Amino acid sequence: EYVLGEIALQAGDFDEAVQRFNKATQLDPNFGDAYLGLGVSLSAEKKYAEAVAPLEMAVKLQPSNPAAHYSLGTAYSRTGRKADAERQFALQEAAGHPTAPGGPSQH
């Protein structure tokens, strides 16, 4: 279901992608990429309020995934949650740079 969702997303068939990713999250409730795909697909349909919950789950399951933070930040921004959006964009930046303060250091 996840792979079919990705194919539909890439093809621009967002309704199909939403259905496939939703099914994938039902089959595996701990599948962070499926929640991310679902949220991205809903955002592509400009259903930002609906995208928030799956994107929050994606961030919860994959806190080091910068794409999840970016997508959630965008959904927050589009739903008027500016402070939440800024926090997600900061987390996205930190996740994209593992040597950021608090991240693992390179010796």
Side-chain angles (χ1 to χ4, degrees):
E1 292 296 330
Y2 172 78
V3 172
L4 294 173
E6 281 293 327
I7 291 169
L9 180 60
Q10 294 302 316
D13 187 351
F14 304 123
D15 286 334
E16 177 75 12
V18 166
Q19 292 174 23
R20 296 296 184 169
F21 287 129
N22 197 29
K23 180 74 170 176
T25 64
Q26 292 170 2
L27 293 170
D28 183 355
N30 295 311
F31 192 0
D33 284 334
Y35 287 100
L36 178 57
L38 177 56
V40 167
S41 298
L42 288 165
S43 291
E45 292 185 310
K46 299 189 182 344
K47 296 179 180 177
Y48 302 108
E50 290 179 48
V52 168
L55 291 171
E56 287 175 337
M57 184 60 84
V59 165
K60 179 180 176 185
L61 294 170
Q62 298 180 332
S64 63
N65 184 341
H69 290 290
Y70 175 80
S71 297
L72 180 55
T74 300
Y76 280 157
S77 177
R78 299 294 171 97
T79 56
R81 296 173 62 178
K82 186 177 178 183
D84 290 330
E86 289 174 4
R87 186 168 41 259
Q88 288 304 313
F89 292 136
L91 289 168
Q92 174 219 354
E93 185 70 21
H97 297 85
T99 58
S105 61
Q106 294 179 346
H107 295 317

